[in-house]
């Protein structure tokens, strides 16, 4: 606008006086005074529009015009009188003054306009800067708006890296493509204008590139034709965070105003960048928090850790990584790839195949195996080509592949839980994303920590569930199971084992088995398996914590971290076994005695060399009869036991008189009563009829009577008493014989059970009589019991239900 008005001013300077001079041609031309006034107007106009210089030109032309055309004598430069000459001179002075007045006014206006234009540009820069959210946008604002003010052709912004060591070119505009190749980042300490400007926090202005090259020899290779350069530090809160460079298309003299303007731009840029950084940091933080929150939610959502980790890998892409992979340590310590994620599923699948083709070598000096082995993160902010060459380990094809991927930056963090590396999480970015920073490493570490604890929890839960199942099962099995740790302390003991070993679970868990379980040293000595081996089963007699002696069958399995023992109380089987073998011995003895007697008698009778008198013959025949009876009795007992065990014995249900039955048993016993035994029956009056199997009850009573006689070797009374007890008829068989110790009262009713021969003075028997009696009575819905003490005789009581 100023420029066009200057042109008008010059036009006016020439044309306006010429126009007024041309009025001379009019017949009615203006008077000398009027012409003078018009000339002054023309000068004013020229000075107003064109400044003092135009005003001066107009003044000279107007003065000449006034003198020549309008001052008498007209058309002559020499005035007619001194008055007129003074008039022209006065006109000249007034016109000069007017020119000066308007010229100064114009200059002031021009300055004001320039200042306002500058302010406008700065304001435009400020407005654009306010909107900028990336360093590139800041630079664009400065270069496109500000640079117009700065008259620059191109610009670049370099920022000091977080570690304070390097300068990184974060944005540039207007330079030839390859200018910054190799200069993307360079040390702050380098001999460069940016380095020095930042270090000294003071700007550099070079009017030519030669000037720059003289000051900074390293720069001479950089940049093209001769141009001016300005480098200004970006200072925020008294600290240089970077520098901005302006490159000019021509050589420029940097006057104070230019320098001040650039300083203002740099200041604005610094503030904008600081704000952008804060914004970036805040945005990144928010993004991280959101990511972590999402990841945590995901990790907590399922116990299927394999699926969850695969989802996590997908969640990390693309915000956190271009590539994300999870590798886990398998049970055989091998490393297995669990998941690979990439934005493009096809690429992920391809990477998975590549992973299969190149399985990780556990001894690899870097990467996942190294991270797992050393349990420390690997952070490669800048993946250099040397690194790729090293990683490819001479495999040209692999090198080509990884080069083509354009990998830029990588983080690999171990998944550690309870001091164990479970696997590793890898994050890789390619050229499309910024390099990883320490903050990203922190985030990845946090993510790995959470993922590891989720995996561990899932494992613990599965284990607990499995153990829960196992311990539930163990709680219900009858076999005892004891789990010991490596040191022999009880880790767990199931209820059956506690019962078998007569201990309390709560008091032994955590204690050593030898110290807390009675008899365990016996087990330790005889059943302890070798490391990793099994032993047993062995059957041991143990004296338990409660002092009882029990036969326990034990087998042990050692599984490295401890041993598990299975226990079974085989006391009963053992006794049965013993009594059974005892029975075989007794039965054969029992059978052999009468058989020998019968055989002996028969052989004697058949002797032809001896003649027997009738008494002797009768005695021998009697013996055959008695012993055959005894034989048949023993065989009968054995058969009956067999029937009872097989459940094949059918009992009658009849009504009969117990008194008559008892008397008949006593009558037949009387027939061969040993000497010194008295048999007596005492029946209450009116003992009612009972219901049951009469023959079998006869068997029971005669068993009891036989025993009473047998176990009274010194002789004595055997009394049978009958009375009514409520709904039962009660039959007692009382003797005054050897008697039975109290703690054997139950056992004598067991199959094959016989008292110690020392207690029975060698009286023969099979140990089946009382067993059969009890079985028969109970099948008649009755009961049988004994009351006895050694040396004081025994009273057996049978109760049979009354007939209704
Ligand atoms: P056995 O054929 O040995 O007599 P039993 O089953 O009839 O078999 O008796 C079991 C054991 O009970 C006997 O061996 C004996 O020790 C004891 N017994 C049975 N009755 C008497 C009794 N009246 N007096 C003492 N001991 C007895």
């Amino acid at each position: 606008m100023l420029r066009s008005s200057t042109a008008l001013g010059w036009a006016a300077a020439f044309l306006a006086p010429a126009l007024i001079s041309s009025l001379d041609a009019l017949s009615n031309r203006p008077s000398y005074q009027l012409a003078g006034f018009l000339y002054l107007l023309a000068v004013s106009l020229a000075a107003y529009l064109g400044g003092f210089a135009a005003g001066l030109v107009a003044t000279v032309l107007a003065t000449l015009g006034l003198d020549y055309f309008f001052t008498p004598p007209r058309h002559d430069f020499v005035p007619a009188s001194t008055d007129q000459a003074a008039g022209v001179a006065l006109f000249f002075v007034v016109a000069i003054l007017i020119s000066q007045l308007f010229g100064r006014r114009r200059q002031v206006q021009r300055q004001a306009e320039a200042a306002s234009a500058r302010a406008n540009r700065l304001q435009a820069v400020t407005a654009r800067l306010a909107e900028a959210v990336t360093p590139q946008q800041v630079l664009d604002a400065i270069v496109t708006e500000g640079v117009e003010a700065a008259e620059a052709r191109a610009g670049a912004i370099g920022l000091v890296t977080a570690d304070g060591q390097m300068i990184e070119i974060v944005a540039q505009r207007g330079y030839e493509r390859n200018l910054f190749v190799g200069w993307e980042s360079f040390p702050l300490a380098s001999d460069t204008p940016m380095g020095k400007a930042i270090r000294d926090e003071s700007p550099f202005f070079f009017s030519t590139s030669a000037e720059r090259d003289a000051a900074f020899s390293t720069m001479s290779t950089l940049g093209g034709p001769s141009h001016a350069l300005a480098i200004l530090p970006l200072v925020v809160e008294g600290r240089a965070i970077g520098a901005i460079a302006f490159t000019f298309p021509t050589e420029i003299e940097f006057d104070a105003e230019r320098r001040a303007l650039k300083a203002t731009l740099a200041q604005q840029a610094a503030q904008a960048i600081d704000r952008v950084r804060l914004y970036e940091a805040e945005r990144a933080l928010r993004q991280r928090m959101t990511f972590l929150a999402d990841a945590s939610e995901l990790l907590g959502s399922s116990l299927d850790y394999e699926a969850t980790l695969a989802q996590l890998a997908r969640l990390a892409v693309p915000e956190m990584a271009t590539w994300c992979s999870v590798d886990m340590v398998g049970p055989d310590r091998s490393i297995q790839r669990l998941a690979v994620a990439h934005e493009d599923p096809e690429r992920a699948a391809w990477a998975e195949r590549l992973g299969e083709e190149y399985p990780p070598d556990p001894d690899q000096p870097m990467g996942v195996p190294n991270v797992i082995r050393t349990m420390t993160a690997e952070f490669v902010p800048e993946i250099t080509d040397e690194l790729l060459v090293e990683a490819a380990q001479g495999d040209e094809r692999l090198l080509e592949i990884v080069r083509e991927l354009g990998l830029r930056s990588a983080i690999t963090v171990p998944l550690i839980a309870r001091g164990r590396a479970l696997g590793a999480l890898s994050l890789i970015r390619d050229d499309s994303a910024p390099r990883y920073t320490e903050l990203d490493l922190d985030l990845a570490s946090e993510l790995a920590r959470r993922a590891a604890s989720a995996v561990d929890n899932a494992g613990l839960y599965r284990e607990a569930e499995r153990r829960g199942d196992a311990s539930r099962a163990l709680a219900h099995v009858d076999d005892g199971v004891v789990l010991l740790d490596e040191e022999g302390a009880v880790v767990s003991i199931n209820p059956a084992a506690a019962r078998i070993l007569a201990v309390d679970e709560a008091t032994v868990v955590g204690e050593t088995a030898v110290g807390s379980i009675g008899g365990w040293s016996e087990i330790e000595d005889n059943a302890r398996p070798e490391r990793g081996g099994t032993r047993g089963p062995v059957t041991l007699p143990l004296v338990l914590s409660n002092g009882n002696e029990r036969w326990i069958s034990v087998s042990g399995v050692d599984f490295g971290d401890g041993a598990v023992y299975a226990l079974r109380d085989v006391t009963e089987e053992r006794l049965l076994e013993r009594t059974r073998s005892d029975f075989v011995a007794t039965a054969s003895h029992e059978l052999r005695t009468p058989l020998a007697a019968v055989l002996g008698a028969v052989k004697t009778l058949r002797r032809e060399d001896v003649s027997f008198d009738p008494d002797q013959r009768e005695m021998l025949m009697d013996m055959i009869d008695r012993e055959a009876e005894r034989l048949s009795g023993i065989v009968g007992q054995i058969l009956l036991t067999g029937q009872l065990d097989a459940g094949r014995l059918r009992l009658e249900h009849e009504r009969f008189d117990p008194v008559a039955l008892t008397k008949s048993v006593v009558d037949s016993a009387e027939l061969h009563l040993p000497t010194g035994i008295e048999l007596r029956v005492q029946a209450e009056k009116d003992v009612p009829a009972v219901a049951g199997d009469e023959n079998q009850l006869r068997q029971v009573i005669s068993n009891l009577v036989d025993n009473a006689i047998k176990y009274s070797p010194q002789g004595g009374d055997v009394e049978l008493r009958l009375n009514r007890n409520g709904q039962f008829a009660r039959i007692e068989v009382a003797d005054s014989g050897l008697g039975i110790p109290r703690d054997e009262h139950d056992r004598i009713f067991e199959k094959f059970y016989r008292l110690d021969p020392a207690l029975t003075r060698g009286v023969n028997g099979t140990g089946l009589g009382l067993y059969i009696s009890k079985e028969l009575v109970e099948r008649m819905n009755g009961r049988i019991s004994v009351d006895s003490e050694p040396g004081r005789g025994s009273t057996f009581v049978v109760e049979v239900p009354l007939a209704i």
Side-chain angles (χ1 to χ4, degrees):
M1 180 237 168
L2 261 175
R3 208 157 285 169
S4 61
S5 82
T6 307
L8 270 178
W10 283 107
F14 288 98
L15 291 178
L19 182 74
I20 293 155
S21 299
S22 68
L23 297 178
D24 172 55
L26 298 176
S27 56
N28 185 16
R29 61 172 195 277
S31 68
Y32 163 75
Q33 287 82 0
L34 180 62
F37 179 71
L38 288 174
Y39 274 123
L40 275 183
L41 280 181
V43 168
S44 303
L45 181 70
Y48 177 77
L49 292 175
F52 177 66
L56 193 63
V57 169
T59 300
V60 172
L61 290 177
T63 308
L64 292 177
L66 180 71
D67 182 18
Y68 186 77
F69 290 109
F70 297 100
T71 310
R74 293 174 40 233
H75 301 146
D76 187 349
F77 281 111
V78 184
S81 67
T82 47
D83 273 1
Q84 278 156 357
V88 170
L90 184 66
F91 172 84
F92 181 74
V93 170
V94 170
I96 288 268
L97 285 175
I98 285 174
S99 291
Q100 238 176 1
L101 192 70
F102 278 106
R104 186 156 304 151
R105 195 205 137 274
R106 189 178 173 279
Q107 198 183 355
V108 168
Q109 186 197 352
R110 219 176 134 151
Q111 277 171 352
E113 274 182 33
S116 119
R118 240 187 353 258
N120 279 345
R121 282 203 201 108
L122 275 177
Q123 201 182 352
V125 174
T126 312
R128 290 252 339 238
L129 284 177
E131 286 163 18
V133 289
T134 66
Q136 187 63 50
Q137 284 169 335
V138 170
L139 184 75
D140 284 352
I142 302 273
V143 175
T144 51
E145 295 290 338
V147 167
E148 198 186 319
E151 303 139 302
R153 167 173 71 90
I157 291 177
L159 294 179
V160 179
T161 53
D163 58 9
Q165 299 296 313
M166 306 288 285
I167 299 170
E168 203 177 350
I169 300 297
V170 293
Q172 52 134 321
R173 177 72 80 226
Y175 290 105
E176 297 105 71
R177 253 172 177 271
N178 297 324
L179 187 70
F180 284 98
V181 170
W183 283 92
E184 293 88 353
S185 72
F186 49 91
L188 175 60
S190 63
D191 182 28
T192 54
M194 263 200 190
K196 193 153 166 50
I198 296 171
R199 288 198 303 274
D200 297 352
E201 291 185 18
S202 67
F204 284 102
F205 295 95
F206 300 112
S207 294
T208 64
S209 49
E211 220 175 278
R212 177 200 73 181
D213 297 347
F216 297 97
S217 52
T218 50
M219 306 292 292
S220 54
T221 52
L222 217 69
S226 153
H227 52 235
L229 176 73
I231 309 257
L232 297 106
L234 299 171
V235 181
V236 172
E237 289 170 4
R239 202 170 52 85
I241 57 161
I244 185 164
F246 294 112
T247 304
F248 301 85
T250 55
E251 294 183 4
I252 280 189
E253 201 49 55
F254 290 103
D255 58 19
E257 197 195 329
R258 280 206 169 99
R259 290 181 183 218
L261 176 68
K262 267 133 212 122
T264 310
L265 281 173
Q267 204 181 348
Q268 295 222 356
Q271 275 161 7
I273 282 184
D274 191 43
R275 190 172 45 70
V276 162
R277 277 180 157 189
L278 281 177
Y279 172 79
E280 286 256 285
E282 199 265 343
R283 196 177 63 97
L285 185 71
R286 219 161 357 131
Q287 202 176 342
R288 286 189 173 93
M289 299 307 285
T290 316
F291 177 67
L292 260 189
D294 288 351
S296 297
E297 194 180 328
L298 187 69
L299 288 169
S301 67
S302 150
L303 284 166
D304 178 359
Y305 80 86
E306 292 182 5
T308 312
L309 287 183
Q311 265 175 290
L312 182 72
R314 283 197 291 278
L315 185 71
V317 170
E319 263 176 84
M320 273 292 292
T322 320
W323 293 94
C324 177
S325 62
V326 181
D327 295 271
M328 297 303 283
V329 178
D332 56 352
R333 315 302 301 157
S334 68
I335 298 168
Q336 286 154 11
R337 178 137 296 179
L338 183 76
V340 189
H342 186 274
E343 245 187 310
D344 175 2
E346 255 176 51
R347 292 217 93 178
W350 169 80
E352 217 153 312
R353 281 199 300 281
L354 195 69
E356 280 164 22
E357 208 176 314
Y358 294 96
D361 168 9
D363 300 322
Q364 215 164 288
M366 57 187 175
V368 170
N370 183 46
V371 166
I372 289 176
R373 210 174 41 243
T374 59
M375 297 211 270
T376 39
E378 244 178 44
F379 176 34
V380 189
E382 174 91 57
I383 299 179
T384 58
D385 195 57
E386 293 90 78
L387 212 66
L388 294 182
V389 171
E390 199 186 326
Q393 294 182 322
D395 188 329
E396 282 302 318
R397 185 175 155 251
L398 186 63
L399 182 62
E400 201 180 308
I401 292 171
V402 289
R403 267 189 184 144
E404 198 220 319
L405 287 175
L407 308 178
R408 178 175 184 163
S409 190
I411 292 176
T412 306
V413 278
L415 301 174
I416 301 174
R418 291 183 293 151
R420 243 164 10 100
L422 309 175
L425 173 79
S426 310
L427 302 171
I428 302 178
R429 274 181 178 165
D430 67 9
D431 298 334
S432 64
R435 278 199 293 268
Y436 285 123
T437 63
E438 292 282 339
L439 277 176
D440 295 312
L441 177 64
D442 289 349
L443 177 67
S445 303
E446 179 61 24
L447 186 65
R449 202 182 57 70
R450 294 185 188 196
S453 100
V455 170
D456 193 42
N457 281 345
L460 283 178
Y461 183 82
R462 275 187 201 172
E463 179 65 10
E465 229 182 17
R466 203 172 55 73
R467 275 211 203 141
D469 281 353
S471 67
R472 264 199 298 279
L474 283 181
H476 291 103
V477 297
D478 276 342
D479 280 345
V481 178
V482 180
L483 180 68
L484 304 189
D485 66 10
E486 247 175 319
E487 269 75 52
V490 179
V491 177
S492 89
I493 176 167
N494 74 339
R499 194 176 61 242
I500 293 169
L501 296 168
V503 290
D504 182 19
E505 182 191 340
T507 57
V508 298
V509 168
E511 304 291 322
T512 63
V514 173
S516 63
I517 302 175
W520 195 272
S521 50
E522 210 62 34
I523 295 179
E524 193 82 13
D525 292 345
N526 297 287
R528 190 203 176 120
E530 295 290 308
R531 207 179 155 78
T534 60
R535 183 135 172 220
V538 288
T539 304
L540 305 166
L542 303 183
V543 179
L544 301 179
S545 305
N546 59 4
N548 283 355
E549 187 178 330
R550 304 294 280 174
W551 285 88
I552 311 286
S553 160
V554 190
S555 48
V557 179
D558 187 292
F559 52 88
D561 297 340
V564 63
Y565 290 87
L567 313 169
R568 213 146 57 79
D569 185 345
V570 294
T571 313
E572 308 299 321
E573 287 98 317
R574 183 94 192 171
L575 286 176
L576 195 64
E577 194 78 10
R578 207 182 72 191
T579 44
R580 197 170 281 158
S581 57
D582 284 357
F583 165 73
V584 174
T586 354
S588 28
H589 172 77
E590 284 293 291
L591 291 169
R592 200 179 301 123
T593 323
L595 259 180
V598 171
L599 270 177
V602 170
K603 274 189 181 152
T604 312
L605 281 173
R606 288 183 121 186
R607 277 175 71 163
E608 295 187 352
D609 55 331
V610 187
S611 57
F612 297 98
D613 59 35
D615 279 355
Q616 283 173 320
R617 184 176 288 272
E618 188 55 28
M619 194 197 77
L620 286 170
M621 295 298 273
D622 252 7
M623 187 162 133
I624 292 174
D625 190 30
R626 210 174 44 246
E627 293 304 322
E629 189 83 8
R630 199 169 134 197
L631 260 179
S632 123
I634 294 169
V635 173
Q637 274 191 338
I638 296 173
L639 288 176
L640 190 55
T641 304
Q643 278 178 312
L644 282 169
D645 285 352
R648 274 189 283 113
L649 189 75
R650 294 185 64 85
L651 268 65
E652 300 295 327
H653 191 77
E654 54 201 350
R655 186 189 171 95
F656 59 91
D657 175 11
V659 181
L661 176 73
T662 306
K663 283 187 174 154
S664 84
V665 170
V666 168
D667 287 346
S668 45
E670 295 273 14
L671 293 177
H672 37 240
L673 206 59
T675 43
I677 296 284
E678 280 285 315
L679 269 182
R680 269 204 304 274
V681 181
Q682 228 180 47
E684 231 177 40
K685 259 205 268 158
D686 306 328
V687 176
V690 294
D693 187 317
E694 188 173 10
N695 269 333
Q696 302 300 5
L697 192 61
R698 183 193 313 279
Q699 172 83 43
V700 171
I701 297 169
S702 79
N703 270 351
L704 295 178
V705 171
D706 283 352
N707 279 352
I709 297 167
K710 251 189 348 187
Y711 297 106
S712 303
Q714 313 281 34
D717 290 353
V718 173
E719 195 172 277
L720 285 91
R721 293 184 283 264
L722 279 105
N723 50 43
R724 178 184 174 159
N725 181 20
Q727 289 307 303
F728 291 88
R730 183 182 162 98
I731 307 157
E732 293 179 10
V733 182
D735 63 57
S736 50
L738 297 171
I740 304 158
R742 216 155 257 289
D743 55 4
E744 299 278 14
H745 284 187
D746 284 340
R747 305 215 62 192
I748 54 171
F749 292 98
E750 286 172 15
K751 195 167 24 170
F752 304 128
Y753 194 79
R754 309 197 67 233
L755 287 190
D756 198 310
L759 293 174
T760 53
R761 302 208 192 147
V763 175
N764 293 329
T766 56
L768 289 174
L770 287 181
Y771 167 72
I772 291 169
S773 304
K774 184 171 156 81
E775 289 291 316
L776 292 176
V777 170
E778 281 175 0
R779 281 168 208 222
M780 282 183 246
N781 301 321
R783 48 201 184 206
I784 185 166
S785 61
V786 65
D787 180 20
S788 174
E789 257 175 71
R792 303 183 66 176
S794 316
T795 301
F796 283 85
V797 180
V798 174
E799 286 180 311
V800 193
L802 298 177
I804 308 156

